[in-house]
Amino acid sequence: MTFEDHDRWALRTNDAWADALARAVTLALATLRPASAGAEVWDAKAGSLEWTCWETAEHLADDLFFYGMQIGTPGLPPGTYVPLEMHRQRPDGPVNMLQVDRASGPSGLLTALEGCGAMQVSLTRTTPPSARAHHASGTSDPAGFAAMGIVETLVHTYDIASGLGLEFTAPDDLCAPALGRLFPHVERGKEPWPTLLWATGRGGLAGRERLEKWRWYGEVREAE
């Protein structure tokens, strides 16, 4: 599949974005559950990140929780987040609101990821498309936060799978609309998945230098 087959306008409703996010989370769980036994392997570095596989999965669950809370909370003052405390468990670890009980093991970790994903999926469906909430990448809507959740899920599943010695390739029909929604500044490549990895600093792409710094743009654009 190429971008021409599935351009950024393919997902036009909250339900379509919710379905896509649910697919991404389901794919992540199916990829990672084979490694759920043996907690020690989850302390390996997650791909090119400085975080462990456990920390990265925990961060992903936290992202999905945060995105759902942010777009699902009406009446926030402009430019503010839901006032939940965030902290690191170690100096180089992620800044999270949620920490998963280590005693629950990898299966508990993935249960937390499943629950946080389901929450954001539900809030994407039930929050009016006109809703807006603050994000550092720009004020966004339910579809925009769902796109963020999709990107976080796909690329962090890739990171974790790399650390666990698993194979993971994201489907183009999830990558293409997320790229179109959040990365309008990125020139389209022939294949959405390698382009998404490149756009998030995770791989090379023919004719383009690897990115050391990158960002997405979450704001709602006029055409949307």
Side-chain angles (χ1 to χ4, degrees), residues 177-201:
L179 272 165
R181 181 62 172 80
L182 298 178
F183 296 87
H185 57 294
V186 170
E187 181 183 355
R188 298 182 180 194
K190 292 183 178 180
E191 298 182 37
W193 175 230
T195 303
L196 181 60
L197 290 177
W198 175 82
T200 55

Side-chain angles (χ1 to χ4, degrees), residues 106-161:
S107 63
L109 176 64
L110 295 181
T111 296
L113 173 58
E114 182 177 19
C116 290
M119 187 193 76
Q120 192 191 355
V121 168
S122 178
L123 286 166
T124 302
R125 294 192 195 283
T126 57
T127 303
S130 59
R132 300 290 184 269
H134 175 67
H135 189 273
S137 68
T139 298
S140 202
D141 57 0
F145 278 98
M148 296 180 212
I150 290 167
V151 171
E152 294 278 6
T153 300
L154 297 180
V155 300
H156 284 318
T157 299
Y158 172 81
D159 296 330
I160 298 164

Side-chain angles (χ1 to χ4, degrees), residues 12 21-22 30 40 45 51 57 66 76 85 92 95-96 110 135 142 156 180 185 202 204:
R12 301 175 185 275
L21 177 59
E40 66 282 353
K45 290 290 181 66
W51 302 338
F66 167 73
L76 283 172
E85 184 178 355
D92 294 326
V95 180
N96 289 343
L110 295 181
H135 189 273
H156 284 318
H185 57 294
R202 286 171 170 80

